[in-house]
Each structure stands twice: as structure tokens, then as C-alpha cells.
Amino acid sequence: MMQQYRQSPIVVIGIPVEEGAGTPGAAMGPRMLRTAGLLTALRDLGCAVEDWGDLALPSALPEPPAGLANAHNFPAIAGWSRLIARETHAVLASGRLPLVIGGDHALSMGSVSGVARHCAETGRPLFVLWLDAHADFNTPATSPSGNMHGMSAAMLTREPGLEAVMGDEPHGAVDPRNLTLFGIRSIDRAERDLLRARGIEVFDMRLVDEFGVAVLIRRVIERVAAAGGHLHVSLDVDFLDPALAPGVGTTVPGGATWREAHLIMELLHDSGLVGSLDVVELNPFLDERGKSALLLVDLVASLFGREVYARGP
């Protein structure tokens, strides 16, 4: 399957956004991932890689809609989202694969919206695998914090209250039935009610412990393959156990192990279905000698074909 990725050049887009999070520092994430060797790791695999650098937030930002409350830094998040959506759509339209590095998880409002637009235009169903400790399914009406990185998945599935994020910017959405939340271990009460009402697939750590990551990831892969779908992967650092990856402002104990995380990436690579990727929430200020960034680079390399021992010709 490695040859498939070589035929689709990868475009790396840095998003230094931290306005969606409650702790500053995620804006430094893109630079740290590059410093940790992301581009070199991909090129060593034979991937064609273009680095488009970091996007910059426009000076003119959207106005928040009247009556909107409990959505902190809405103008900045809306501005970022519209810009990112244009970029990811352009990358896919040119036959390349967007690798969006951040930056807090609010950036996925833009990246996945652009991917969804492309999928709608090409008639290919979009599936999203959300690797995260949190569900990110709050809305301004339910969020305990008002931090918009916790509303990304809800916005992408068109939950009420977040329509103004994209405004008139062309974009697509995610069918709630095609969203899988994986590795979840922290859900707010109102989020839980919404997830059940919408029929979102949630593989929490209880299920991971009971069945193992291979069984559950293969379920996702089989669904996407059967539908001929495009798979977008959104990888949050806090998906990993904080002992392995402390460089994130939202750590939750009991996350994925090194071996579980690499196995997921290897199985996704073998599937040949991943057409776009986010790597989010790296906060170098909270990291320990770059260990989180280095692990993320290794995981991305596994997703694009790095193997300990090649098993085929």
C-alpha cells in the first residue's frame, strides 16, 4: 500500500491556532513537529512532500452572530476555519493529500469542512476517525468551558448553535453515522446525551480494553472500504497516555499505549483509505524534552508506511 501514498504527494499545512483551547502554547505545535523531523521522516519513506508553511489568521475576522454566548474567541476560530477549509479543499482538488498540523483541535472545523466539500463534489462518502480522549461534541449551549476546541465534532455534524462558524464559505459536513470517536475517556454529561441521540459511534477505552484496538479499527476500515469512502483521521495528542505524551493541555489518564497507537497507524496504512490527516493539540510548552513531538512524528511515519520489518515484496 505504500506506493499509493507515494503517488499522492503530501502537503503539510501548519495552523498556529490556540484560541480554541483553554491553555496557551498549541500555536507552537507546527514548528515543533517540523523540528522533531516530520518532513524528513516522510521523505525518508519515499513520500513526495510539500511544506506550505504556516497559515496566518486574516486581519478581518467574522463578527459573532447576535446572541451567541459561551463560544470563546469565536471571531478567530471562524476566521481560521474558513481559511483552513479553502486550503484543504484546494489540496485535495489538486490530487494531493493534506496533512494539517496544529494547533488546537478547533482547526478541524476548517480542515474537515474542506475535505467534506471535496468529497461532496466528487461523490465519495466521507468518514472521520476521531482519535481523542474527549468527544469534542459540546455546543455553546452545553459546553462547561466555552472553549471551542471541544465543539469541533459537533460543528462538523451540524449541531445547532455553530452554523455561523463557516458563514457563507463553501464547505461540507459529516454525516453523524460516519463519525467514529475512538479512545474516548472523558465525556461531559450533555455531550453523552447528544452522542446517544445522534447515534455517533463511540469506542471508549472500556471497549478498547475489552476487544483490543485491532478489532475495533478493522470495524472502521471495513465500513469505509465497503462504502468506497474517503477516511479522514484527526489525531489529538491526548489520545495517547500522558506518560508517553505529556505535551498537551488536556491530559486524561489511561490513554493509548505506544504499541496500540502504532498498531492503529499501521492498520490504517495497510487499508490504503486515509486521504487526509490532522495532528492537533501539541503544546511544546508542556512537553518534556520533545518526547510528545517525537512520538507524533513516529506515528505519522507509521501511518505513511514505516515498518519495523517489511512483510511483503
Side-chain angles (χ1 to χ4, degrees):
M1 293 293 184
M2 189 187 303
Q3 186 66 26
Q4 177 174 347
Y5 289 117
R6 289 179 176 172
Q7 291 173 356
S8 297
I10 300 166
V11 173
V12 176
I13 306 173
I15 311 296
V17 55
E18 61 185 20
E19 290 91 343
T23 303
M28 299 184 287
R31 176 169 292 186
M32 188 61 187
L33 286 168
R34 293 186 179 96
T35 300
L38 176 65
L39 302 176
T40 299
L42 293 172
R43 287 171 177 149
D44 284 349
L45 290 168
C47 300
V49 183
E50 302 173 33
D51 186 358
W52 285 11
D54 290 354
L55 300 184
L57 185 65
S59 56
L61 297 178
E63 292 290 333
L68 180 68
N70 202 35
H72 298 166
N73 300 315
F74 176 90
I77 298 305
W80 277 116
S81 297
R82 300 174 194 191
L83 173 62
I84 300 165
R86 290 195 293 273
E87 296 295 309
T88 56
H89 177 266
V91 171
L92 286 167
S94 69
R96 292 172 286 184
L97 185 154
L99 168 49
V100 183
I101 57 175
D104 71 63
H105 217 157
L107 71 82
S108 294
M109 295 186 184
S111 63
V112 182
S113 290
V115 173
R117 176 187 170 193
H118 175 76
C119 287
E121 291 170 349
T122 56
R124 193 175 180 193
L126 170 63
F127 292 78
V128 176
L129 176 62
W130 203 265
L131 300 171
D132 202 320
H134 305 87
D136 294 344
F137 214 77
N138 272 304
T139 69
T142 67
S143 173
S145 69
N147 294 328
M148 293 191 71
H149 69 165
M151 305 180 192
S152 301
M155 176 267 167
L156 291 168
T157 55
R158 292 181 170 166
E159 280 299 314
L162 294 163
E163 301 89 345
V165 170
M166 296 304 297
D168 295 330
E169 182 69 32
H171 67 286
V174 179
D175 185 330
R177 297 169 296 181
N178 292 352
L179 170 64
T180 300
L181 308 181
F182 196 103
I184 308 301
R185 52 196 188 276
S186 177
I187 303 178
D188 296 319
R189 181 175 298 177
E191 277 185 305
R192 185 176 290 109
D193 294 340
L194 273 178
L195 291 167
R196 287 174 174 161
R198 304 298 183 252
I200 305 294
E201 184 171 59
V202 179
F203 292 152
D204 63 7
M205 289 307 292
R206 159 66 191 270
L207 290 175
V208 171
D209 290 342
E210 186 171 354
F211 295 101
V213 296
V215 169
L216 299 178
I217 285 294
R218 285 190 175 114
R219 289 185 192 175
V220 176
I221 289 170
E222 287 166 3
R223 286 187 62 218
V224 180
H230 173 117
L231 180 59
H232 178 93
V233 176
S234 196
L235 172 60
D236 189 313
V237 182
D238 69 23
F239 169 70
L240 301 160
D241 192 86
L244 297 171
V248 60
T250 51
T251 56
V252 182
T257 67
W258 189 96
R259 291 178 65 172
E260 287 172 333
H262 273 284
L263 178 56
I264 289 169
M265 296 299 124
E266 290 162 1
L267 291 172
L268 290 172
H269 168 76
D270 291 347
S271 77
L273 295 169
V274 178
S276 47
L277 171 67
D278 301 326
V279 180
V280 304
E281 294 286 353
L282 176 64
N283 188 328
F285 185 74
L286 302 174
D287 206 1
E288 298 172 5
R289 300 173 66 87
K291 66 188 292 186
S292 305
L294 291 168
L295 176 53
L296 287 172
V297 168
D298 282 345
L299 291 174
V300 172
S302 289
L303 179 60
F304 287 100
R306 180 188 285 171
E307 298 176 297
V308 175
Y309 178 74
R311 302 188 184 281

